[in-house]
Amino acid sequence: MKNYKITLIKGDGIGPEIIDEAVKVLDAISTDEDFELKYDEALMGGCAYDITGDPLPQETIDKSLASDAVLFGAIGGQKWDSLEREKRPESGLLRFRKELEVFANLRPAVVYDELVNASSLKPEIIQGVDIMVVRELIGGIYFGEPKGRDENKGWNTMVYTRDEIVRIAHEAFKIAMSRDKRVCSIDKANVLDVSQLWRDVVTEVATEYPEVTLTHMYVDNAAMQLILNPKQFDVMLTGNIFGDILSDEASMLSGSIGLLPSASIGSKIGVYEPIHGSAPDIAGQGIANPIATIASASMMLRYALGEERAADRIDAAIKQALSEGYRTKDLSAFDAKEICSTSEMGSIIANYAAKCTL
Ligand code: NAD
């Protein structure tokens, strides 16, 4: 029997509620899979600041690096918004990604057949959408130097090195090989020098993947095409800021932010987390949708632990719960047969996953 160490970072707001449901589902399947998961909790975000004075205690970094994967809830909330920037929960998260060197953020945007009516776009436009956004996560304008601000001016610098582009491009091409073998690289090469380097390097890396078709698209056009004809995309490869914006746009194709998972991977260990934040407006009410976090746990099994069958069982259980009409409040207007709480949804998916034999 294999043993895996998982660091659980529940965080703030709805974080603890949704992580508990993901653990419930993982425990329901690991009993009859050939592996055991051992969990260790660590603090990050506002709750970490309240206890230790630091949104990212060193102990959290150490525990995470000593584990096989990190399952992460969400951090942040109004209570900590007035702190100086370094003390804020969001700074802890950026620092965490940098420490773990998770340079690739994978964000699937999948439209469930059962929820085609939940999108703000017409069903015929979005039915069958299955996009993987591969976003560079620890470079580009969010980290480039120089940056600063004085009374009359603010400045940031968008920098990418050849090596940074090469490694994220390889991730995108490798993922495309397991999908429909199409990569669309997003840039602004008509205006930005950094984007021209991006385009040239991605084109070079593509020669190592002759089965994959590479296209390039300017970011402004990509924003438009995602709404006009999202089915044209398989893998979208982007830099940090373009991916931040486009992946949020892509996620809305699915209807609710509460459905979508993500994986942040790199040369050390990976972080698996829902794309949404800590939703302070609904925290503690038992109405948060846990599906994004449960699907993140599935990505963890697939990408970090190589437990494909277990991941498939969870994905099938999510689909079954949705097709049987179970909905949390955020999706209650869309073909709901029964409205359930966060914990009820977790139990329903855990139950289906336990029974699912693939
Ligand atoms: P948010 O994603 O937390 O919430 C946006 C809206 O979506 C809210 O109305 C919320 O109720 C709803 N929502 C989010 N997740 C949901 C779920 N699982 N089920 C049902 N509804 C859900 O974004 P925000 O309100 O802009 O930010 C709140 C806090 O979260 C801020 O402090 C922000 O900095 C932080 N944040 C953290 C992360 C992260 O931890 N990775 C990401 C984004 C925002």
Side-chain angles (χ1 to χ4, degrees), residues 16 51 56 72 152 156 176 179 194 218 244 254 260 286 295 304 314 330 332 350 352:
I51 295 171
L56 177 61
F72 184 90
N152 300 311
N156 293 83
R179 295 173 49 99
V194 59
Y218 297 136
D244 194 2
S254 78
L260 294 168
I314 294 182
D330 51 318
S332 57
Y352 286 149

Side-chain angles (χ1 to χ4, degrees), residues 221-271:
N221 187 24
M224 193 174 77
Q225 295 295 332
L226 264 177
I227 302 298
L228 191 68
N229 177 19
K231 275 184 260 192
Q232 70 184 284
F233 296 110
D234 177 27
V235 173
M236 297 179 87
L237 165 62
T238 79
N240 204 345
I241 190 169
F242 297 160
D244 194 2
I245 298 162
L246 291 181
S247 59
D248 267 20
E249 185 186 346
S251 71
M252 272 299 95
L253 302 171
S254 78
S256 171
I257 198 169
L259 290 170
L260 294 168
S262 78
S264 301
I265 58 179
S267 36
K268 297 177 179 170
I269 63 145
V271 182

Side-chain angles (χ1 to χ4, degrees), residues 274-290:
I275 70 158
H276 58 73
S278 58
D281 53 330
I282 58 166
Q285 298 177 32
I287 58 171
N289 189 341

Side-chain angles (χ1 to χ4, degrees), residues 14 18 72-78 81 88-90 93 97 256-259 273-282 287-293 328 330:
I14 60 170
I18 53 180
F72 184 90
I75 49 93
Q78 235 175 359
D81 280 353
R88 286 179 57 169
E90 294 79 3
L93 182 56
R97 289 173 177 162
S256 171
I257 198 169
L259 290 170
E273 58 178 308
I275 70 158
H276 58 73
S278 58
D281 53 330
I282 58 166
I287 58 171
N289 189 341
I291 290 181
T293 314
T328 40
D330 51 318

